[in-house]
Amino acid sequence: MKQKLSNLWGKDGTKSVLASLISILIGMVVGALIIIIVGAANPSLGLNSAWEGIRLVFGGLFSTGRDAAGTLTFGFNSTNLGNMLFRATPLILTGLSVAVAFKTGLFNIGAPGQYLMGTAATLILALTIPTETVPAPLVWLIAFLGGMLAGALWGCIPGLVKAFLNINEVLACIMTNWIAANLVTWLFDKGSLFESLQNHVENTKTAYIYKTSFNGVETAKLGLDKLFPNSQVNGGILIAIGIAILIYILMNKTTLGYELKACGANRHAARYAGIADKRNIVLSMAIAGALSGAAASLYYLSGNTEFFWSTYQTLPATGFNGIPVALLAVSNPIGVIFTGCFMSMLDIVGLQLTNLTAYNEYITDVIIAIIVYLSAFSLVIKMFISGQRKRRSKAALPAAEAAAKPPEGGGGAEVEKGGESA
């Protein structure tokens, strides 16, 4: 049993998980310390308020508000849990997008641009195909696949310049991000082809595109609304989990996945072994782009979200948030499911802090920043864990040798007796 535990502890995957958990724990503790410092320094808050803030940081997902006496209450909160799953859906997919590129030796910082192109394609298809003649479920499928295709094509651009011109994919991704932002803005701006998709029904929302439910196109709830009433959750989370499992199978159980990872480990060695490195680099970025496009599709096909078309002002944070999701999961597709839910949980916690205490949601942004910073140093944490294990092994070695060594003189006496009897 001890041997099995020792072997498990020595595995690289175990160390990676521990490094991520340590990063999360340190981030949460630092967030709690910030709350204590702010509470102690502000007489209007006090330590009682700080204690409430700490409880929400660690258990805000299960907060049910305040009772008649003003005390925080906790329990099963279907709204929070459902909204957490809804917000986790795009994070899981953008996390997968970054993770796939990481596995193949590429840094896909272009997820925001791919997300925007997927958004534009999805909304255009969902809102322009008439559901009077084409069944709404078929329109949903066309819009979803169209969003994935748009993201894949946009992801190909950095892949092509990396493969054939050896231009760093980070620079190419940054440029394609801002091209996508301005291109999407132009598509929905006044005088453009799709100006009619602006929300003119609600006068205060002309800078927004109609929800897809306006055309009767939205993701099915699949019974999740019964489990999590009064929340935004829908079947998109199940699709995201299914895609994560498929990506795991692709990367770990197929020849294509092996070739993609081989190119990431050493592009020149892979080429020497007969692997088409240029093709695989482009294909990797196309898969990453398709996953970012899928994230946008599932988010806006929910039927209860609106797209602010003036995107040139900022890039969507969801695309960038895929980076910490992938880092915490150590680029493991199954791990991405859990880290995506964790990041989504912190969003809910931030809202709970704002709504129920005098603190604001920026504290959770600090927590996320610390976790991301530490996850980038996961190799250092893994080395620390390995060092601790080696020190314990060295300390235990003399005791083990002493236990295995026979008592002095005992073995000789038996031999002598054996010789005499012989």
Side-chain angles (χ1 to χ4, degrees), residues 8-20 329-330 332 382:
L8 180 63
W9 179 262
K11 287 184 178 179
D12 188 66
T14 304
K15 295 175 187 175
S16 298
V17 170
L18 285 173
S20 297
V330 203
N332 184 303
K382 285 165 68 176

Side-chain angles (χ1 to χ4, degrees), residues 56 99 161 176 202 278 300 312 337 347 367:
L56 286 176
V161 299
T176 54
E202 300 173 84
K278 292 181 179 179
Y300 288 105
Y312 65 87
I337 298 171
D347 283 343
I367 294 172

